[in-house]
Amino acid sequence: MAETVNLNPDKVYVGGINKLKEWPQDPASKVRALLKNYLELDNVSFLFGAGSSINLGSISIAGIPPQIVTAIANTLIATDEKKEGEDGILFQEFKKIIGYLQPDEKVEKDKWVSYPVESLLDYLTALSFVSSKNPDMLDFKNIEELIRVIKKALFELCDLDTLPLSNKISEDVKNILSKNRYHFHERFVKKILQRPLNLRRVNLFTTNYDLAFEYAFDNLGVKYLDGFSGFNKRTFKPESFDYDIFYPGSTTQGKVHRIEKVLKYYKLHGSLTWISEKPEPQNIYGIKEYPIDYIRSKKGIDDGIFGGLMIYPSATKKTYTLEYPYSELFRQFANAIVQQQSVLITYGYSFADEHINDIIYQSLSIPSFTLIVIDYFGAGANDKPNENIRKLLELDDPRIIIIQGENYGDFPFFVQNLLPDLVEIDNEIKLSATLKQLYEDNKGAIDNNNQSPDPVNPIIP
């Protein structure tokens, strides 16, 4: 007998073994069943990276996009005496800084720079701190302006409502997103909210600055606890992470009921709508959340507001995670995944953030912790394999499940075909049990009717 050949280009590794080789028939249903078991644990957390927003027009910031380089080159400052063909002072300083950080890099307008934006912001923030203590120590006199220009350009690159959809998505997906840009985010949220109400709220963590999930929550009427409170003046109050939402019952016995559409939402690297302001008694941390329309309206009128955007990635250094609100957000992340019987499911996260990785690796010391990684490219499947995910794969740990490939790792495909619909599955199980019972009852009735009164001459059905 010929050996079964599995032609599925995607992979599902459990403890280093590709289970799809054992699932030649309807493998997607096997993956759904696998994920269902983990989604019904008491402690479920998701961590989303840039991959979840790529289809909506967002771009990778593993390097410095040409839009940011061009924005710096086109920005003139008061001391500029720019002559034809010469660079402005801000662009000169930018090129000099990149030269220090990456000597072989050639910086040109409208071209990618391979040095990561996140690492650059870390470096510039450190320079800003040194300059604030002693301005004469640095040759660079426009660090704050450089940070402002980069943040403004990042805002524009992550403001999903204003961006064209990715040109790499299929026509079917494009048609869906053209009607509702946040369709798949909404569908994801609907599915995870189907968990039984006796379980803890789902924790949704993201390193993205964009508002894809916020739009999805609003469209669905989902309440989310994100660390901010207030209406006209929304300020950061970390104690709100410990709140929950209930509504009173219909009796006078003091019973309350848990509202279904609620989850906890944490933006680990900040947000397009968070602005750092001077602390005051009503805002002791100096962090305020503004409507995105308000921030958009400041472009070209009061560009200074972009300097206060709280998007400090700190991907390669851990310094700024010690400051508010990042210290609190990372504390919440650590607390969520170190609980007993916890699962963390990552999507589009490249494992480039050392501080996040440290927390995940520490959690692997807990026997009941499970890590599920959804990876679009797959370890070693593209020109630049993700070494961090490859190392996880090589651990051969059955508590580490890696789902990867251009289909299984694609956000629309994952949400539609792999993420289980718990209500639908439960209904299928009930229907199957009902049909089985009906079949057995009917078979029993037929057997009784077919019994021969004469055992010597039985009736053959």
Side-chain angles (χ1 to χ4, degrees):
M1 182 176 178
E3 183 180 354
T4 301
V5 178
N6 191 303
L7 300 178
N8 195 328
D10 301 295
K11 301 176 181 64
V12 178
Y13 289 104
V14 180
I17 299 173
N18 183 10
K19 288 294 185 178
L20 288 192
K21 292 182 178 180
E22 304 173 11
W23 302 336
Q25 303 297 324
D26 194 14
S29 66
K30 302 290 196 304
V31 178
R32 285 196 297 274
L34 178 72
L35 292 176
K36 178 181 182 292
N37 291 333
Y38 289 103
L39 286 178
E40 292 181 335
L41 292 178
D42 195 31
N43 300 295
V44 175
S45 300
F46 286 85
L47 171 61
F48 281 91
S52 61
S53 297
I54 291 295
N55 288 335
L56 302 180
S58 183
I59 64 174
S60 169
I61 54 174
I64 303 174
Q67 294 93 327
I68 293 180
V69 179
T70 301
I72 296 170
N74 290 342
T75 300
L76 301 181
I77 58 179
T79 56
D80 261 317
E81 295 180 2
K82 187 176 179 183
K83 298 178 182 179
E84 189 66 30
E86 291 185 359
D87 296 326
I89 292 175
L90 197 66
F91 196 44
Q92 292 177 32
E93 290 192 1
F94 171 70
K95 291 198 294 185
K96 191 176 291 187
I97 289 169
I98 295 298
Y100 289 148
L101 297 173
Q102 201 151 280
D104 297 332
E105 186 78 48
K106 184 180 180 181
V107 179
E108 297 181 80
K109 184 179 178 180
D110 299 325
K111 300 288 185 182
W112 275 89
V113 174
S114 60
Y115 195 79
V117 170
E118 299 180 333
S119 300
L120 175 62
L121 273 176
D122 283 336
Y123 184 75
L124 293 176
T125 305
L127 290 181
S128 175
F129 175 78
V130 172
S131 179
S132 68
K133 300 300 180 184
N134 188 346
D136 297 330
M137 287 185 66
L138 300 177
D139 293 334
F140 308 113
K141 305 302 179 184
N142 300 285
I143 297 299
E144 293 298 325
E145 179 65 3
L146 189 54
I147 291 174
R148 183 196 67 78
V149 172
I150 292 173
K151 287 185 176 182
K152 181 184 177 185
L154 273 175
F155 177 91
E156 293 172 342
L157 289 171
C158 297
D159 188 4
L160 298 177
D161 262 4
T162 66
L163 301 176
L165 297 172
S166 169
N167 56 13
K168 295 183 180 180
I169 58 179
S170 68
E171 284 300 317
D172 289 342
V173 171
K174 185 177 291 185
N175 289 336
I176 293 172
L177 294 179
S178 296
K179 296 175 183 176
N180 179 3
R181 181 174 286 259
Y182 306 103
H183 169 85
F184 295 105
H185 285 77
E186 290 176 20
R187 190 161 182 182
F188 166 81
V189 172
K190 286 179 182 178
K191 288 189 174 184
I192 64 172
L193 286 176
Q194 291 174 352
R195 282 164 36 87
L197 280 177
N198 63 310
L199 301 177
R200 298 190 188 189
R201 301 293 192 188
V202 171
N203 300 300
L204 204 165
F205 298 90
T206 180
T207 58
N208 296 342
Y209 314 131
D210 64 57
L211 307 184
F213 279 109
E214 286 93 327
Y215 287 125
F217 299 151
D218 287 348
N219 292 345
L220 296 173
V222 171
K223 304 290 185 183
Y224 57 99
L225 306 172
D226 64 349
F228 285 80
S229 64
F231 182 74
N232 292 319
K233 189 174 184 179
R234 287 183 57 78
T235 58
F236 185 69
K237 296 193 174 172
E239 63 271 19
S240 65
F241 282 126
D242 298 324
Y243 298 165
D244 207 331
I245 303 177
F246 297 81
Y247 65 88
S250 56
T251 69
T252 59
Q253 298 176 0
K255 293 182 179 180
V256 295
H257 301 279
R258 209 172 182 208
I259 291 180
E260 294 182 7
K261 297 197 294 185
V262 177
L263 51 75
K264 297 191 174 184
Y265 184 52
Y266 309 81
K267 303 192 81 169
L268 296 174
H269 283 173
S271 177
L272 298 183
T273 56
W274 298 2
I275 302 293
S276 176
E277 298 184 344
K278 184 178 179 180
E280 56 185 9
Q282 296 79 23
N283 183 13
I284 60 175
Y285 299 111
I287 304 165
K288 189 173 178 180
E289 184 177 31
Y290 284 91
I292 193 167
D293 287 336
Y294 173 81
I295 300 175
R296 285 180 192 142
S297 70
K298 295 297 183 180
K299 288 193 289 186
I301 299 173
D302 179 16
D303 284 345
I305 193 173
F306 294 97
L309 280 182
M310 299 199 68
I311 48 175
Y312 291 100
S314 301
T316 57
K317 303 187 189 311
K318 305 171 187 176
T319 307
Y320 299 106
T321 59
L322 300 177
E323 299 179 358
Y324 258 81
Y326 307 106
S327 60
E328 176 63 24
L329 292 167
F330 280 98
R331 187 187 72 80
Q332 292 284 344
F333 178 62
N335 185 60
I337 67 175
V338 299
Q339 303 291 327
Q340 294 295 316
Q341 300 295 326
S342 293
V343 60
L344 173 66
I345 303 173
T346 73
Y347 180 87
Y349 173 62
S350 64
F351 287 81
D353 188 307
E354 291 180 7
H355 197 52
I356 292 177
N357 293 350
D358 285 349
I359 296 171
I360 294 174
Y361 299 156
Q362 180 62 33
S363 298
L364 285 169
S365 67
I366 301 172
S368 62
F369 175 74
T370 301
L371 173 64
I372 301 177
V373 179
I374 317 296
D375 179 27
Y376 177 77
F377 291 108
N382 60 335
D383 293 335
K384 295 181 179 180
N386 188 311
E387 289 299 310
N388 294 312
I389 295 178
R390 182 183 62 79
K391 289 176 182 177
L392 286 172
L393 180 62
E394 291 176 350
L395 292 175
D396 291 338
D397 188 331
R399 297 172 304 143
I400 299 175
I401 300 170
I402 300 178
I403 301 173
Q404 56 188 199
E406 294 187 4
N407 290 319
Y408 282 15
D410 178 58
F411 188 60
F413 186 94
F414 171 73
V415 170
Q416 288 191 120
N417 302 297
L418 299 184
L419 190 67
D421 186 316
L422 299 181
V423 172
E424 183 178 298
I425 289 177
D426 287 342
N427 287 339
E428 288 176 356
I429 293 173
K430 291 175 183 176
L431 177 60
S432 176
T434 299
L435 292 175
K436 182 179 179 181
Q437 185 63 47
L438 287 173
Y439 170 77
E440 290 176 348
D441 292 346
N442 189 47
K443 184 175 182 298
I446 292 175
D447 289 343
N448 290 332
N449 290 335
N450 288 340
Q451 286 182 0
S452 171
D454 184 357
V456 178
N457 298 302
I459 298 175
I460 308 298

